[in-house]
Amino acid sequence: QSTLTQPASVSGSVGQSITIPCTVTSSDVGGYKYVSWYQQYPGKAPQLMIYDVSNRPSEVSNRFSGSKSGNTASLTISRLQTEDEADYYCYSYINYNTLVFGGGTKLTVL
Amino acid sequence: EVQLVQSGAEVKKPGESLKISCKGSGYSFTSYWIGWVRQMPGKGLEWMGIIYPDDSDITYSPSFQGQVTISADKSINTAYLQWSSLKASDTAMYYCARGTFSGSSRVRWFDPWGQGTLVTVSS
C-alpha cells in the first residue's frame, strides 16, 4: 500500500513564498519519480500545475515550481498572490497497479 | 483544443444503475489513458481506475474494484463509468482526465480534466 502525505493546510502572506511537501510511503519508493501537482478552486475541476516533478506547462505561471528530495516532493509558490488561494494535490504513479493522490492541502493567502 | 466533456448531473435512488460518459476531442483518443477520479463532498481526489481506449486495458484501484465498471468506445472517443446498484455513499463529483504515459509507466500526469459529473444518490 502506497500513500502520499500532504499537510492539510498552509498559509502565507501576499508576496511571500510557501512550500507544500508531499511525502511518499511505499514499499516501492523507486517508482516515486512521476510526481505531478494540481490546483483546484472550489467547484472547479483540477488543473495541472507541475508534471514529472519539476516541469511546468507553458500556460502556468513561473511562480510555481516543483522539486524532489528522497521520499518528498515539494511544490513551491513564490510571490504569493490572492488568486493562488486554492486546494493543491500531489499525484504519483508508483508502479503498474498503483496510482495515488495526496490528501490535498488548502492554501490560504493572508 | 484538447478537451474532455462529461455528461450532465444525475440524481438517482439507491439501487438504481447509472452510466456516465466522458468524450474526448482535439487529440488521438486511442493514444492516451483516461482516468476516473472521485471527489466526495468536501474531500480530496481519489483515483478509481484507468482505461487505455485502444485496447480497453483497464486497471482499477483496489478501493473501487468490483464497485464500478470502466469501459470505452473508441469509435466515438468516449469513456464510461458505470454502477449497477448505486448507494448513498456514491454521492460525489466524478472527473475524467487524460493520462499521459511513456514506456512501461501507466499515467505520469493527468491533463486536461473534464468539467466533472455530479452524482447524487438519495431516496
Side-chain angles (χ1 to χ4, degrees):
Chain A
Q1 185 75 0
S2 300
T3 60
L4 297 181
T5 301
Q6 306 177 229
S9 64
V10 298
S11 62
S13 300
V14 171
Q16 289 186 331
S17 295
I18 63 94
T19 296
I20 301 173
C22 172
T23 300
V24 66
T25 303
S26 173
S27 59
D28 187 7
V29 176
Y32 190 47
K33 53 186 178 181
Y34 299 121
V35 181
S36 53
W37 290 89
Y38 303 86
Q39 177 190 64
Q40 186 181 33
Y41 292 115
K44 299 295 187 182
Q47 178 187 345
L48 177 69
M49 305 302 284
I50 296 289
Y51 65 95
D52 285 353
V53 176
S54 59
N55 293 287
R56 188 178 56 248
S58 58
E59 66 272 20
V60 172
S61 169
N62 60 12
R63 297 185 299 105
F64 290 82
S65 62
S67 61
K68 186 167 79 74
S69 178
N71 290 7
T72 300
S74 298
L75 174 70
T76 297
I77 309 174
S78 58
R79 305 186 301 281
L80 270 179
Q81 299 179 1
T82 55
E83 69 205 48
D84 300 330
E85 186 161 295
D87 294 326
Y88 293 87
Y89 295 89
C90 58
Y91 159 86
S92 182
Y93 166 81
I94 303 293
N95 59 37
Y96 190 83
N97 290 319
T98 306
L99 287 69
V100 61
F101 285 96
T105 298
K106 180 177 179 60
L107 169 62
T108 300
V109 180
L110 305 171
Chain B
E1 177 193 7
V2 176
Q3 61 177 353
L4 297 174
V5 178
Q6 299 184 229
S7 50
E10 301 274 1
V11 179
K12 292 288 189 179
K13 289 181 166 49
E16 292 186 331
S17 62
L18 175 64
K19 190 174 189 177
I20 63 175
S21 66
C22 168
K23 184 175 177 62
S25 63
Y27 74 99
S28 174
F29 189 70
T30 54
S31 298
Y32 292 81
W33 292 85
I34 291 287
W36 286 97
V37 177
R38 183 177 78 175
Q39 188 167 39
M40 299 179 76
K43 301 299 184 182
L45 305 175
E46 301 174 89
W47 164 67
M48 302 177 70
I50 54 173
I51 185 167
Y52 194 66
D54 190 43
D55 59 6
S56 288
D57 184 9
I58 302 171
T59 298
Y60 291 97
S61 163
S63 299
F64 292 92
Q65 179 83 48
Q67 308 304 308
V68 297
T69 301
I70 293 171
S71 60
D73 185 340
K74 63 183 180 181
S75 69
I76 55 172
N77 290 358
T78 302
Y80 302 96
L81 177 66
Q82 68 181 84
W83 296 259
S84 60
S85 181
L86 286 160
K87 303 184 284 288
S89 57
D90 293 318
T91 295
M93 181 70 81
Y94 293 88
Y95 294 102
C96 65
R98 187 184 74 165
T100 294
F101 74 103
S102 64
S104 61
S105 74
R106 288 301 191 87
V107 176
R108 288 163 58 185
W109 67 85
F110 289 105
D111 181 61
W113 293 61
Q115 82 277 20
T117 296
L118 180 63
V119 174
T120 303
V121 184
S122 174
S123 55

